[in-house]
């Protein structure tokens, strides 16, 4: 396949970026999108030009580290991570635009690499159950109804890639935050801190500069692991409940 | 130490004597060690600091636990968030001797299975402890909110895994590693918020600081600004995972590397059993020269899928056009008792053999078809399409996404791939390396799996080390504190930092013609060819020569563009590949000296009449712990830790 790429190149956060065109003549449909970028980089290095920086690690769709806008869509045309997108999803002769996630709380570090540290700070604000090591009761001491466990799992599947933020016109991280609130709030172990959790995580979400949620739903349209939109309803429910109790 | 070189490649030194494992009944060794270990009172803990490198299951759990205990912890990872460590990719599950199934499981049985599965090359005391704390791990994770699979009664579900005869594997769909890691990561972030843990993301450890014989810190590079930073502490923990990426193609994350443990090895830490590599039998085969990564298909597929190749070589008909009589279900034929469920090492080698015979399937890559069919046609006929879909649907979807083929209609193609390294830095029972104050946990150490790792045991070891073992042994070392203050101007610190600076400048100054990746791929091909699934004396000697020649070329002809003071991914890779070159040579020497087959190490010269691995317990029942030879290419020194089996009788494994 012959592919023309328009790639965002930006030396660092302080330098303005620009789109640069590259042509690849020998792309195989078996390549993943990131392997196609590897091939591009090999040709750039051979030509003495700095390779394109992009984030990636596990390359099997679970670590959440990769992620770019492809033709304006987070992770590209398939509902999957960028590492699991394959070139067979494109056609010979296509021109493909590749850009970094765009959101104020995700500043560009270089080329396609952005800083998603804000997600860690939202988790640190309360996205956990306070259980010190060594004194846990037997795992069977507290049964969990299967429906609750399944609901918790569904939300816990979030890989923190940031596609939801990149896709949202408001730059909101509500789906990410709601997934964690729903995961832990669905389990009996998560109840004692449930009110504090939603208030504190949402506070941090706003401090980081993420926008509010206006139920547009772009986040779920691009989420590679299918986190459901109703987690956000759950978050709103929990928030109202917590505020009603004076938190 | 021997004056003469052995086999022209290494010297032999004094045996390893003290492993610190307590004597006495195996059931009470761990409690005895815990009682004997000195304590640090809570008020003094905040005066002591620990550096932890790596935030996978072993590193994040240790960081969280030591932070809770009140130590001052600095935690480092090269990823953009500690939650991305490669533990996240483990699919199948985590073992624990809970006996929730009433199927006669016990601590002793998990211990027994693990020692046997490791082909009698692991230390009994360590393995027993692993089995002993396994049950606590499940309790801890459930308390944190890890959403394990549950039954309708609300209790935890279990499944059977990796050939064992009891159901002791806890799981969270096909994402067990991800859920366990998120639990540990959240516990770590809780300590970050509490101020006991300071987190450094996008930082890579490039050197260990050793002062007066003790590990006192690390030199790291801030991968965003390029700044070389010095961090000092009272103890250092390496939890940096395995080194399977020496083969370039593997199931490891692209960034997984050996630098942290290799730099420690060069500073005096012994390296245990470097050649022990686990090859996993069910990966999606390589599709072309562009390939960067191999993806695992969960081993659970072998419960229902049947593995076969055409009986005749060069049969390129569509698999559905090959009649039953012309198919060879070779695992069922050779191992009728275990069939498709034989352990990983056996299944992997059998697949290699049929492909070497020219009976492989799929596209030809470099002249050979490397793939065998994993066929669900019978399962679909027996269980129905919907039942198969509900059991394995997500895996089938993933396969289709990667290969473009529909596994409901065409059999999957699989082939073995490098997965896990049982070797790593040598540690004693306290998880301390041969450098005082340097502890090593999880896959980065050599300890608990012997020559082969059973399924669902890696997660168990990572969390056992991080939540329960290290936090109860490191006290004994830290009780020696307060330690003498070391300043950044100390000559040993300054020298370590200067070494890192000069390496960076060397890479950028070389201005050669070849990319780092091209060297890495070539090194990987050498390793896979000669130090992969099957090794021979002659092949390994060839490999050592080729590695040395390629390494020389690397240091004169590698091209690293860009600058030091910025995000520079080529520069990061160059440092890692440079260390892989040195490790690769040691792996080959280790494989060469071990003239026996065991677990993941198959020496062609040592096999039974019907082609099975043949151990030589009289000669090789030891851990090979290697000492750095002093400079690149200098002969390393072999120290042996003899292994004694008091509880499990050493027998040849048989699966027929």
């Amino acid at each position: 396949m012959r592919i023309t790429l328009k790639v965002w190149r930006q030396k660092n956060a302080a330098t303005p970026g620009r789109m640069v065109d590259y042509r690849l003549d020998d792309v195989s449909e078996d390549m993943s999108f990131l392997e196609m970028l590897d091939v591009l980089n090999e040709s750039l290095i051979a030509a003495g030009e700095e390779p394109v920086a992009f984030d990636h690690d596990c390359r099997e769709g679970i670590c959440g580290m990769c992620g770019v806008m492809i033709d304006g869509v987070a992770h590209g045309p398939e509902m999957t991570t960028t590492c699991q997108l394959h070139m067979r999803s494109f056609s010979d002769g296509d021109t493909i635009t590749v850009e970094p996630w765009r959101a104020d709380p995700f500043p560009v570090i270089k080329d396609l690499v952005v800083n998603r540290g804000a997600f860690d700070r939202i988790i640190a604000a309360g996205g956990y159950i306070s259980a010190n090591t060594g004194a846990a009761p037997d795992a069977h001491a507290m049964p969990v109804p299967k429906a609750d466990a399944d609901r918790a799992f569904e939300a816990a599947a979030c890989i923190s890639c940031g596609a939801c933020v990149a896709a949202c016109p408001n730059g909101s991280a509500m789906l990410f935050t709601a997934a964690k609130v729903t995961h832990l709030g669905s389990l009996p172990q998560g109840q004692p801190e449930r009110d504090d959790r939603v208030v504190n995580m949402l506070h941090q979400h706003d401090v980081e500069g993420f926008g509010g949620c206006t139920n547009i739903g772009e986040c779920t349209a691009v989420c590679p692991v299918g986190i459901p939109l109703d987690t956000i309803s759950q978050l709103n429910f929990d928030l109202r409940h917590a505020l009603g109790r004076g938190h | 130490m021997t004056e003469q070189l052995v086999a022209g490649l290494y010297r032999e030194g004094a045996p390893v004597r003290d492993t610190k494992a307590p004597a006495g009944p195996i059931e009470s060794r761990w409690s005895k060690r815990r009682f004997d270990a000195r304590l640090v009172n809570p008020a003094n803990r905040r005066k002591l600091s620990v550096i932890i490198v790596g935030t996978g299951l072993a590193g994040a759990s240790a960081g969280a636990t030591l932070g809770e205990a009140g130590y001052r912890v600095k935690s480092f990872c090269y990823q953009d968030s500690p939650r991305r460590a490669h533990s996240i990719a483990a699919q199948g599950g985590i073992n624990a001797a809970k006996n929730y199934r009433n199927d006669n499981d016990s601590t002793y049985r998990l211990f027994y299975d693990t020692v046997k599965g490791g082909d009698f090359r692991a230390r009994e005391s360590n393995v027993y402890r692993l089995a002993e704390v396994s049950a606590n791990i499940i309790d801890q994770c459930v308390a944190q909110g890890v959403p394990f699979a549950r039954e309708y009664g609300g209790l935890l579900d279990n499944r059977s895994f990796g050939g064992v005869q009891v159901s002791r594997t806890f799981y969270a769909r096909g994402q067990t590693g991800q859920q366990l890691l998120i639990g540990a990561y959240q516990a770590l972030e809780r300590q970050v918020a509490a101020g006991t843990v300071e987190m450094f993301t996008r930082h890579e450890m490039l050197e260990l600081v050793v002062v007066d014989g003790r590990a006192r810190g690390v030199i790291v590079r801030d991968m965003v600004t390029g700044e070389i930073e010095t961090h000092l502490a009272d103890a250092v923990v390496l939890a940096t995972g395995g080194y399977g990426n020496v083969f370039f193609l593997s199931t490891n994350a692209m960034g997984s590397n050996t630098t942290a443990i290799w730099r420690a090895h060069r500073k005096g830490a012994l390296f245990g059993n470097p050649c022990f590599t686990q090859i996993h039998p069910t990966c999606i085969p390589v599709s072309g020269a562009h390939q960067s990564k191999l993806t695992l298909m969960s081993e659970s597929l072998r419960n229902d899928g049947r593995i076969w190749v055409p009986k005749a070589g060069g049969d390129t008909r569509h698999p559905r056009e090959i009649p039953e009589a012309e198919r060879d279900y070779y695992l069922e034929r050779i191992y009728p008792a275990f069939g498709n469920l034989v352990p990983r090492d056996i299944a992997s080698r059998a697949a290699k053999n049929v492909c070497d015979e020219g009976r492989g399937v799929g596209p030809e890559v470099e002249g050979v078809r490397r793939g065998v069919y994993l066929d669900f046609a019978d399962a679909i006929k027996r269980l129905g399409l919907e039942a198969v879909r509900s059991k394995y649907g997500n895996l089938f979807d993933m396969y289709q996404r990667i290969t473009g083929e529909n596994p409901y209609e065409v059999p999957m193609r699989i082939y073995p791939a490098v997965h896990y390294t049982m070797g790593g830095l040598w540690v004693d029972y306290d998880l301390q390396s041969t450098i005082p104050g340097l502890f090593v946990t999880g896959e980065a150490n050599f300890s608990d799996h012997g020559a082969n790792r059973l399924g669902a045991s890696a997660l168990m070891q990572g969390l056992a080390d991080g939540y329960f073992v290290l936090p109860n042994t490191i006290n004994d070392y830290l009780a020696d504190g307060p330690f003498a203050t070391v300043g950044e101007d100390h000559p040993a610190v300054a020298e370590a930092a200067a070494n890192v600076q000069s390496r960076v400048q060397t890479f950028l100054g070389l201005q050669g013609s070849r990319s780092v990746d091209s060297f890495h791929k070539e090194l990987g091909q050498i390793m896979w060819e000669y130090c992969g699934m099957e090794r021979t004396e002659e092949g390994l000697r060839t490999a050592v020569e080729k590695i040395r020649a390629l390494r020389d070329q690397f240091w004169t002809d590698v091209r690293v563009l860009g600058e030091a003071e910025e995000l520079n991914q080529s520069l990061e890779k160059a440092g890692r590949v440079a260390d892989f070159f040195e490790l690769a040579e040691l792996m080959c020497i280790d494989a060469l000296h071990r003239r026996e087959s065991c677990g993941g190490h198959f020496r062609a010269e040592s096999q039974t009449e019907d082609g099975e691995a043949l151990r030589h317990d009289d000669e090789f029942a030891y851990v090979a712990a290697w000492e750095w030879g002093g400079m690149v290419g200098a002969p390393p020194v072999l120290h042996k830790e003899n292994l004694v089996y008091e509880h499990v009788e050493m027998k040849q494994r048989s699966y027929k």
Side-chain angles (χ1 to χ4, degrees):
Chain A
M1 293 163 67
R2 280 175 23 168
I3 298 287
T4 303
L5 290 173
K6 291 180 174 298
V7 182
W8 183 260
R9 300 300 311 257
Q10 183 171 349
K11 187 167 172 51
N12 53 44
T15 312
R18 64 197 176 95
M19 301 300 288
V20 178
D21 289 5
Y22 300 104
R23 220 182 84 176
L24 289 173
D25 288 329
D26 198 14
V27 173
S28 141
E29 63 171 24
D30 288 331
M31 287 176 185
S32 71
F33 198 84
L34 300 185
E35 285 167 347
M36 183 273 296
L37 291 180
D38 290 340
V39 170
L40 167 68
N41 279 345
E42 285 295 297
S43 70
L44 291 179
I45 292 169
E49 191 179 337
E50 258 200 80
V52 178
F54 61 94
D55 259 334
H56 63 98
D57 205 17
C58 79
R59 294 205 177 188
E60 49 189 281
I62 190 75
C63 79
M65 188 132 166
C66 67
V68 289
M69 299 299 276
I70 299 168
D71 290 337
V73 180
H75 292 302
E78 314 279 343
M79 281 266 276
T80 185
T81 54
T82 307
C83 66
Q84 295 295 291
L85 174 68
H86 284 71
M87 295 311 291
R88 67 179 68 90
S89 299
F90 299 90
S91 306
D92 190 20
D94 274 0
T95 297
I96 306 172
T97 308
V98 192
E99 303 163 90
W101 288 162
R102 296 214 185 283
D104 269 356
F106 286 172
V108 173
I109 294 174
K110 182 177 184 174
D111 295 339
L112 304 173
V113 177
V114 302
N115 181 347
R116 284 166 292 190
F119 274 9
D120 289 336
R121 293 188 289 272
I122 291 175
I123 296 296
Y128 48 76
I129 289 170
S130 297
N132 280 358
T133 306
D138 185 273
H140 270 180
M142 190 182 281
V144 181
K146 188 166 188 310
D148 294 356
D150 287 350
R151 170 74 167 165
F153 182 91
E154 187 180 37
C158 170
I159 58 172
S160 302
C161 62
C164 48
V165 176
C168 178
N170 304 338
S172 175
M174 205 62 85
L175 192 68
F176 165 81
T177 309
K180 189 49 58 188
V181 164
T182 303
H183 162 204
L184 299 175
S186 301
L187 296 167
Q189 297 88 330
Q191 299 313 308
E193 293 168 296
R194 187 167 173 178
D195 289 351
D196 285 340
R197 181 179 304 120
V198 66
V199 171
N200 293 338
M201 287 183 75
L202 212 49
H203 174 70
Q204 188 64 35
H205 172 277
D206 295 347
V207 166
E208 295 291 345
F210 291 109
C213 172
T214 51
N215 280 319
I216 295 166
E218 285 292 324
C219 51
T220 50
V222 297
C223 177
V225 292
I227 301 296
L229 193 60
D230 69 359
T231 54
I232 296 177
S233 317
Q234 180 76 57
L235 177 140
N236 288 326
F237 176 88
D238 279 17
L239 181 66
R240 261 198 317 278
H241 193 258
L243 296 176
R245 300 215 298 183
H247 279 268
Chain B
M1 191 165 76
T2 49
E3 289 294 314
Q4 293 290 318
L5 286 183
V6 183
L9 289 168
Y10 66 93
R11 295 180 204 282
E12 198 166 324
V16 178
R17 291 202 199 284
D18 186 14
T19 65
K20 286 207 201 121
I26 199 158
E27 302 80 19
S28 54
R29 286 182 193 171
W30 177 227
S31 42
K32 180 167 170 15
R33 178 65 194 133
R34 277 191 297 166
F35 183 77
D36 291 344
R38 291 167 297 164
L39 303 176
V40 179
N41 98 46
N44 285 338
R45 291 181 202 156
R46 75 179 77 97
K47 298 176 197 156
L48 292 163
S49 56
V50 180
I51 282 170
I52 302 179
V53 186
T55 58
L57 288 177
S61 57
T65 307
L66 293 176
E68 284 163 18
Y71 295 108
R72 284 186 290 121
V73 176
K74 283 185 174 182
S75 172
F76 296 84
C77 68
Y78 72 77
Q79 298 92 341
D80 75 327
S81 163
R83 66 153 344 267
R84 307 212 196 275
H86 196 54
S87 304
I88 206 146
Q91 298 170 346
I94 176 167
N95 284 337
K98 279 284 200 187
N99 196 31
Y100 279 166
R101 288 292 169 199
N102 194 27
D103 54 5
N104 267 344
D105 198 13
S106 63
T107 300
Y108 201 90
R109 191 179 298 278
L110 176 52
F111 156 71
Y112 179 92
D113 287 348
T114 307
V115 169
K116 180 177 167 230
D119 227 350
F120 303 94
R121 294 293 176 262
R123 200 187 280 153
E124 274 192 341
S125 298
N126 284 55
V127 178
Y128 192 90
R129 174 176 65 191
L130 176 66
E132 191 178 343
V133 302
S134 65
N136 303 103
I137 295 170
I138 304 302
D139 300 340
Q140 178 64 28
C141 295
V142 166
Q144 289 172 342
V146 171
F148 285 118
R150 290 191 181 255
E151 297 176 330
Y152 284 98
L155 302 182
L156 294 159
D157 195 10
N158 296 105
R159 60 185 174 197
S160 167
F161 212 79
V164 295
Q165 292 160 301
V166 293
S167 291
R168 64 161 72 103
T169 305
F170 294 78
Y171 66 101
R173 290 193 203 161
Q175 303 173 12
T176 316
Q178 136 128 325
Q179 294 308 327
L180 294 173
L181 182 65
I182 288 174
Y185 152 74
Q186 289 172 182
L188 185 68
E189 290 295 339
R190 175 178 163 234
Q191 294 306 313
V192 170
T196 64
V197 174
E198 198 180 348
M199 188 68 228
F200 297 84
T201 61
R202 291 194 197 271
H203 278 66
E204 182 163 40
M205 170 181 158
L206 296 178
E207 200 58 81
L208 179 73
V209 175
V210 180
V211 176
D212 300 329
R214 290 172 185 264
R216 293 302 304 269
V218 293
I219 310 292
V220 298
R221 180 171 177 272
D222 178 331
M223 293 155 71
V224 175
T225 64
E227 195 184 340
I228 306 296
E229 301 170 4
T230 300
H231 294 269
L232 300 170
D234 297 309
V236 176
V237 180
L238 301 184
T240 51
Y243 49 83
N245 271 352
V246 67
F247 291 89
F248 186 75
L249 284 181
S250 82
T251 66
N252 287 14
M254 298 296 285
S256 297
N257 65 85
T258 192
T259 289
I261 58 172
W262 191 255
R263 295 277 123 198
H265 173 60
R266 288 179 54 131
K267 284 277 166 78
L270 299 186
F271 203 118
N273 297 334
C275 81
F276 285 172
T277 306
Q278 178 163 75
I279 313 283
H280 198 292
T282 53
C283 288
I284 300 176
V286 175
S287 65
H290 59 270
Q291 192 126 358
S292 62
K293 162 81 193 178
L294 296 173
T295 301
L296 210 64
M297 298 301 294
S298 169
E299 204 174 14
S300 63
L301 291 169
R302 288 198 281 150
N303 283 318
D304 284 305
R306 297 182 70 195
I307 293 172
W308 65 275
V309 291
K311 275 189 177 158
D315 187 344
T316 54
R317 283 178 290 175
H318 187 279
R320 289 284 168 256
E321 288 166 11
I322 301 179
E324 281 290 319
E326 294 172 42
R327 299 177 180 190
D328 180 11
Y329 294 89
Y330 59 91
L331 288 177
E332 298 170 32
R333 174 172 58 80
I334 308 172
Y335 307 97
F338 277 71
N340 295 301
L341 288 172
V342 290
R344 293 175 176 179
D345 52 335
I346 310 274
S348 297
R349 214 171 47 255
K352 177 181 189 292
N353 289 343
V354 295
C355 294
D356 287 349
E357 288 166 15
R359 298 195 287 143
V361 299
E364 208 173 274
V365 179
E366 286 162 12
V368 190
R369 293 178 203 282
R370 299 221 169 267
V372 300
Y373 288 127
L374 176 61
D375 197 342
F376 286 84
D378 281 359
I380 290 170
K381 209 180 291 171
R382 178 163 45 90
L383 304 167
L385 187 70
E386 276 318 302
V388 171
R389 195 190 300 278
S390 73
K391 242 172 147 172
Y392 304 116
N394 57 338
L395 295 168
F396 279 40
D397 293 347
M398 182 174 83
Y399 180 87
Q400 180 156 17
R401 207 177 292 130
I402 293 172
T403 63
E405 291 175 3
N406 179 353
Y408 293 101
E409 289 163 12
V410 187
M412 288 184 182
R413 288 175 292 110
I414 54 165
Y415 195 68
V418 170
H419 181 50
Y420 188 92
T421 45
M422 281 76 69
L425 291 188
W426 184 91
V427 289
D428 62 21
Y429 190 69
D430 283 357
L431 304 182
Q432 187 169 217
S433 73
T434 45
I435 300 174
L438 179 70
F439 293 79
V440 192
T441 61
E443 193 180 349
N445 73 30
F446 88 100
S447 63
D448 293 356
H449 306 298
N452 183 41
R453 181 178 63 78
L454 290 179
S457 293
L459 306 183
M460 179 171 62
Q461 191 211 345
L463 291 181
D465 286 359
Y467 283 133
F468 299 108
V469 182
L470 179 82
N472 285 303
T473 59
I474 200 170
N475 306 319
D476 189 63
Y477 177 80
L478 291 171
D480 281 337
F483 299 88
T485 308
V486 175
E488 292 202 15
D489 54 349
H490 189 285
V493 179
E495 191 195 335
N499 279 346
V500 170
Q501 291 282 12
S502 96
R503 252 162 90 87
V504 166
Q505 291 312 323
T506 302
F507 288 131
L508 292 171
L510 278 170
Q511 299 182 334
S513 68
R514 284 181 62 179
S515 72
V516 179
D517 273 354
S518 77
F519 279 105
H520 193 177
K521 279 185 187 182
E522 195 174 332
L523 173 66
Q525 280 164 357
I526 295 171
M527 291 301 284
W528 181 244
E529 170 90 19
Y530 300 107
C531 197
M533 266 193 286
E534 187 171 317
R535 296 124 186 225
T536 64
E537 170 99 20
E538 190 193 353
L540 288 163
R541 286 190 182 275
T542 307
V544 170
E545 295 306 313
K546 283 177 181 274
I547 290 164
R548 288 175 176 171
L550 189 64
R551 185 169 61 210
D552 288 346
Q553 199 192 344
F554 174 83
W555 282 106
T556 52
D557 198 25
V558 72
R559 171 180 284 188
V560 180
L561 300 166
E563 294 158 34
E565 292 81 22
E566 61 175 16
L567 181 74
N568 187 334
Q569 294 175 331
S570 301
L571 179 63
E572 294 159 18
K573 283 193 263 191
R576 296 169 190 167
V577 172
D579 288 334
F580 275 136
F581 270 115
E582 294 173 21
L583 167 72
E585 182 181 334
L586 185 66
M587 289 172 74
C588 291
I589 292 174
D590 184 43
L592 191 76
H593 108 281
R594 191 173 281 278
R595 290 189 169 86
E596 65 162 352
S597 297
C598 63
H601 169 66
F602 190 81
R603 272 293 289 268
E605 299 92 342
S606 182
Q607 49 184 308
T608 61
E609 276 177 11
D610 44 3
E612 301 298 333
L614 182 62
R615 285 200 326 263
H616 297 294
D617 294 335
D618 48 340
E619 287 179 86
F620 293 102
Y622 60 76
V623 175
W626 296 91
E627 180 187 342
W628 172 243
M631 56 182 287
V632 178
V637 182
L638 171 64
H639 302 269
K640 297 174 181 173
E641 178 200 332
N642 284 321
L643 293 167
V644 180
Y645 291 89
E646 299 169 58
H647 297 85
V648 189
E649 190 196 347
M650 294 171 95
K651 283 190 290 210
Q652 282 302 133
R653 290 151 73 212
S654 171
Y655 295 93
K656 293 205 169 170

